[in-house]
Amino acid sequence: WVNCPCPREPFHKLLVQGLIKNQTFKLPKMGKYLKREEIDFSGPEPIHAKSKEKLQVSWDKMSKSKYNGIEPEDIIQKYGIDTVRLYILFTAPPEQDILWEAKIDAIPGVLRWQTRIWHLATKFIEARNSGPLPSPHLLNQKDKLNAKHIWTQKNFTVSEVTEYFLENYLFNGIISRLMGLSNILLQASEQLIIHSAEFEDALATLFVMLAPLAPHLTSEIWKGLSHVPDKLCTHHHWDMDVLQQPWPTVDPEYFQLPDIVEVSVLINNKLCGKVKVPQQVSRDAEIVRELVVQSELGSEYLQGRTITKFFLSPRTALINFLIQD
């Protein structure tokens, strides 16, 4: 293959997608698959309505011949295309199979989340339209700390969601991160909603990142946001549709790491305290291990005990020691 003149493969990564499976019901003796109207579900186990014979139940790829397919139009009419799409993506990573009827009860939960973020946008629109002019200097110290927390969580979410989209294809992780950001925004006070640029930016960023997964919902919400007067964030293109917005990026200040990192120390998976280490060595497992062992906390908890293994997670600033007494 080294000297092969043929062109390279036109892709960089292969994603093998899972299947959406549904239950099949088969007569064991005849090997015949049954339609649902031929089955009696009234007892503890499904049986053939005519012969009362017990059935062989399994989960298989949806197929007309096995009578286990579903009509997409029915569920789309009931919940809407955005809800169905979000549900399928949220249920499992794309490479895993989905057992349809075992998970179908999760659809109302996805619908409730959509309702919450609709109300979140409505609350922002009403507060800005009926309240005073937004003035960040009117925020008290507590509100400023909460605004800083919103800013941090927005940047964390942008970083994670972007990676999930481009590298890992973890669409369920994307939705989970967006749910987390929306929960933080839902806790904001009215003062933050009116006067915080961080809240406004995080709200807009939430819908821009959600747009590829729920374009109909986010387009409607964005139209409402675009008419809000006296915006504090002018870098968003409010006169354009949400699907035409540039993808959010992490603010450069978010990457300015402190000189000292507090590393959480776990012993046999139990948190025992924190040890401060220089930021420049915080990703070196051996150095962090040695600094922890030599610290006061290490003298108290690790002295005279045998360390069998240790694991360092630089991203979460955590080190876990497995020891023998």
Side-chain angles (χ1 to χ4, degrees), residues 216-275:
H216 302 283
L217 173 69
T218 52
S219 291
E220 286 297 314
I221 290 175
W222 192 265
K223 287 179 182 177
L225 297 178
S226 67
H227 291 102
V228 170
D230 305 307
K231 294 187 181 68
L232 297 171
C233 299
T234 57
H235 60 279
H236 295 290
H237 301 287
W238 296 106
D239 57 333
M240 299 168 60
D241 187 74
V242 68
L243 292 169
Q244 297 176 302
Q245 301 299 313
W247 188 254
T249 57
V250 178
D251 296 321
E253 297 84 357
Y254 182 73
F255 292 115
Q256 293 178 358
L257 301 174
D259 295 333
I260 298 297
V261 176
E262 283 194 336
V263 177
S264 298
V265 179
L266 281 71
I267 297 178
N268 291 339
N269 302 311
K270 182 180 179 181
L271 181 65
C272 296
K274 294 185 177 182
V275 173

Side-chain angles (χ1 to χ4, degrees), residues 8-269:
R8 294 179 179 273
E9 295 285 0
F11 52 83
H12 299 285
K13 185 176 180 179
L14 176 63
L15 176 63
V16 181
Q17 300 180 40
L19 300 173
I20 299 181
K21 297 182 176 181
N22 206 354
Q23 282 185 314
T24 58
F25 303 90
K26 183 169 66 174
L27 290 168
K29 294 181 180 179
M30 300 177 59
K32 177 186 176 182
Y33 290 97
L34 300 178
K35 300 177 182 179
R36 287 190 169 266
E37 52 265 30
E38 299 177 293
I39 304 168
D40 182 0
F41 291 99
S42 60
E45 296 181 354
I47 59 174
H48 189 200
K50 188 174 182 180
S51 66
K52 307 303 179 185
E53 183 180 353
K54 288 186 177 181
L55 304 177
Q56 180 180 331
V57 182
S58 61
W59 292 90
D60 294 299
K61 173 184 175 182
M62 290 188 182
S63 167
K64 290 182 179 180
S65 62
K66 295 180 180 179
Y67 306 111
N68 68 334
I70 61 164
E71 178 53 58
E73 286 296 326
D74 294 341
I75 194 164
I76 290 172
Q77 286 291 331
K78 185 174 182 181
Y79 294 107
I81 185 63
D82 277 355
T83 305
V84 176
R85 186 189 299 108
L86 286 171
Y87 156 72
I88 293 174
L89 295 175
F90 184 57
T91 300
E95 67 274 10
Q96 292 184 13
D97 294 340
I98 296 176
L99 306 183
W100 182 258
E101 290 203 346
K103 296 287 186 179
I104 194 72
D105 58 335
I107 290 185
V110 175
L111 186 60
R112 285 193 297 272
W113 177 57
Q114 290 178 279
T115 302
R116 287 198 298 273
I117 60 176
W118 180 277
H119 289 325
L120 175 64
T122 302
K123 187 176 181 181
F124 171 78
I125 294 169
E126 291 177 349
R128 285 291 184 88
N129 283 330
S130 60
L133 287 175
S135 302
H137 70 274
L138 294 178
L139 295 174
N140 59 33
Q141 190 60 32
K142 180 181 178 181
D143 287 333
K144 289 179 180 178
L145 289 174
N146 289 332
K148 178 69 173 179
H149 178 61
I150 289 174
W151 177 85
T152 302
Q153 290 302 313
K154 182 214 72 171
N155 280 288
F156 171 73
T157 304
V158 170
S159 176
E160 293 283 293
V161 168
T162 302
E163 180 179 347
Y164 290 165
F165 261 124
L166 298 179
E167 301 294 336
N168 304 323
Y169 309 118
L170 294 176
F171 302 114
N172 58 325
I174 292 170
I175 297 170
S176 179
R177 292 299 186 208
L178 296 178
M179 286 179 172
L181 180 59
S182 68
N183 288 337
I184 291 171
L185 296 177
L186 283 163
Q187 297 170 15
S189 66
E190 187 171 355
Q191 284 291 97
L192 271 178
I193 294 174
I194 296 174
H195 299 297
S196 170
E198 291 84 357
F199 180 92
E200 181 182 306
D201 185 31
L203 184 68
T205 300
L206 168 67
F207 295 121
V208 171
M209 292 191 293
L210 180 59
L213 310 180
H216 302 283
L217 173 69
T218 52
S219 291
E220 286 297 314
I221 290 175
W222 192 265
K223 287 179 182 177
L225 297 178
S226 67
H227 291 102
V228 170
D230 305 307
K231 294 187 181 68
L232 297 171
C233 299
T234 57
H235 60 279
H236 295 290
H237 301 287
W238 296 106
D239 57 333
M240 299 168 60
D241 187 74
V242 68
L243 292 169
Q244 297 176 302
Q245 301 299 313
W247 188 254
T249 57
V250 178
D251 296 321
E253 297 84 357
Y254 182 73
F255 292 115
Q256 293 178 358
L257 301 174
D259 295 333
I260 298 297
V261 176
E262 283 194 336
V263 177
S264 298
V265 179
L266 281 71
I267 297 178
N268 291 339
N269 302 311

Side-chain angles (χ1 to χ4, degrees), residues 277-278 280-294 310 312 319:
V277 302
Q280 59 267 29
V281 301
S282 63
R283 305 183 73 87
D284 190 312
E286 290 296 336
I287 295 179
V288 173
R289 173 193 178 278
E290 190 63 26
L291 290 172
V292 172
V293 170
Q294 294 177 4
F310 73 96
L312 174 68
I319 188 168

